[in-house]
Amino acid sequence: MAPILAGLLMELIRSLLRPLHRWVWLDTARRARKLLRFAETEADGGRDLVRAAEMTTDSLLRRHFLRHARDEQRHAELFRGRGAALLRVLPEPPRSGYRADWLAPGERGLDDLRVEELEVDALLAFLHLSEKSAATDFARYRDVLQHDPPTRAVFEEIVRDEAHHMNYTFSQLVRVSPQHHRRLLWRARLGRLWKGYLRLAIALAGGISWLILTVLYFTLLPPFAYFAKRSARQEPAGWRPVSAERNASLDRQY
Ligand SMILES: [Fe+2]
Ligand SMILES: [Fe+2]
C-alpha cells in the first residue's frame, strides 16, 4: 500500500511540475547549460561504474558495469554535443554562466556516489533508483521539448538506455540479494530523500540570506549615504586654492 501511495504522490508532484519543466526548457541558453551540466553528470557516473567494475569479483556484474559505463560515456558525449551546438546558435554567450541548476538534477548528480563505501547489493539498489529517476526525468524533458526536435531526439535515445539500466540493476540486485533486496531499496530511497531534503534546505538558506542582505542594503545603507553626502557638502575635501596674501606670507618665510 505504502509504495502505491508514494508512487501516486510522486506522480502528482511531477504533473504539477510539468509547466515548470516546459518553462525551464524553453530558453535556449538555459537549455544549453543544462545539457552541458548533464554531460558532466553522465561522465561522472561512467567513471563511478568503471570503478565499480574494478572492485567487483562477480564476472557477470563486471560485464554489466563496463557496458553501463560505456553507455554513460556516450550519453555524456550526446549531451555535450547538443549543448555545444545550442551555444553556437546563441547571439551572445549566456550571462549567467555555466552553473548547476537544481530544478532538474538529472542522473546521480544529486547523489555524489562513493563506490568504495558501498557493498555491491547496496550499490545495485542505489543505481537502480538513480536509473529509474533518470529514465522518468529524461522522458519528462523529452515530452516538453516539442519545439526542439534535435534535443528531443537526444533524450529519446538516452531514455531507452536508462530503462535498460534500471531493469538490469534490479534483476542483478534480486540475484545477489534475493532475501534483502526490498530492504536495500527502501534504505536507498530514504538516503535519496535525505539528500533531496539537504539540497532543498541549502537552496532555501541561500534564498533567505539573499533576502536578508537585500533588506539590510535598502534599510541600513541609505541613512549612512545621506550623512556622508551632507558632511561632504559642508566640508569639501581635497586641495583648496591658497589666497594671494597667504601665498605672499609663505614666500617671505622661506
Ligand atoms: Fe545515462
Ligand atoms: Fe544510466
Side-chain angles (χ1 to χ4, degrees):
M1 192 66 186
I4 296 172
L5 279 177
L8 284 174
L9 184 66
M10 288 308 291
E11 193 50 43
L12 179 68
I13 292 171
R14 284 185 170 127
S15 306
L16 292 173
L17 285 176
R18 196 179 164 85
L20 181 65
H21 288 315
R22 184 168 286 121
W23 172 78
V24 165
W25 288 97
L26 209 55
D27 180 76
T28 307
R30 194 186 298 124
R31 201 152 68 242
R33 273 203 312 274
K34 290 179 79 62
L35 293 175
L36 292 172
R37 171 70 184 153
F38 285 174
E40 278 183 13
T41 311
E42 296 281 325
D44 202 30
R47 284 190 288 275
D48 288 337
L49 285 155
V50 170
R51 184 82 187 115
E54 283 171 352
M55 292 185 64
T56 184
T57 52
D58 183 320
S59 59
L60 180 60
L61 270 186
R62 188 178 304 119
R63 275 204 301 279
H64 275 299
F65 285 156
L66 286 175
R67 183 192 158 179
H68 191 162
R70 271 200 304 275
D71 285 347
E72 300 302 357
Q73 188 54 41
R74 196 166 52 82
H75 298 171
E77 283 158 19
L78 284 167
F79 279 138
R80 196 175 299 120
R82 184 61 197 144
L86 285 173
L87 279 184
R88 279 196 293 274
V89 300
L90 285 176
E92 58 187 50
R95 269 182 303 145
S96 46
Y98 179 18
R99 59 179 165 71
D101 193 336
W102 74 278
L103 283 172
E107 191 178 358
R108 281 194 291 286
L110 180 59
D111 303 304
D112 190 20
L113 175 62
R114 288 184 185 87
V115 173
E116 294 83 357
E117 293 172 12
L118 291 177
E119 295 294 328
V120 74
D121 48 4
L123 175 65
L124 283 165
F126 175 90
L127 286 174
H128 170 68
L129 294 181
S130 297
E131 299 297 329
K132 189 174 178 182
S133 163
T136 313
D137 288 342
F138 290 168
R140 229 160 273 276
Y141 306 154
R142 175 201 60 197
D143 293 346
V144 297
L145 277 164
Q146 291 94 340
H147 57 286
D148 182 353
T151 307
R152 187 183 162 96
V154 165
F155 277 113
E156 181 73 56
E157 184 175 345
I158 292 176
V159 161
R160 274 197 294 273
D161 287 343
E162 305 303 5
H164 166 71
H165 300 158
M166 178 181 87
N167 292 333
Y168 100 79
T169 44
F170 183 73
S171 60
Q172 292 303 309
L173 172 61
V174 174
R175 178 178 72 82
V176 300
S177 186
Q179 307 290 327
H180 305 297
H181 66 276
R182 285 185 205 288
R183 185 160 53 85
L184 287 162
L185 282 172
W186 272 109
R187 194 186 293 169
R189 224 168 254 136
L190 289 175
R192 282 175 67 85
L193 268 178
W194 174 244
K195 281 172 183 165
Y197 161 75
L198 288 181
R199 191 184 182 107
L200 190 65
I202 290 167
L204 271 178
I208 290 169
S209 58
W210 174 85
L211 190 69
I212 290 172
L213 283 173
T214 308
V215 169
L216 288 178
Y217 181 83
F218 285 107
T219 54
L220 286 185
L221 277 188
F224 284 106
Y226 170 75
F227 286 119
K229 263 188 190 164
R230 213 174 74 161
S231 71
R233 267 201 304 272
Q234 283 168 355
E235 197 176 309
W239 294 92
R240 272 174 282 171
V242 179
S243 65
E245 296 84 51
R246 175 80 178 137
N247 213 3
S249 115
L250 286 171
D251 279 348
R252 277 195 299 278
Q253 278 178 28
Y254 301 102

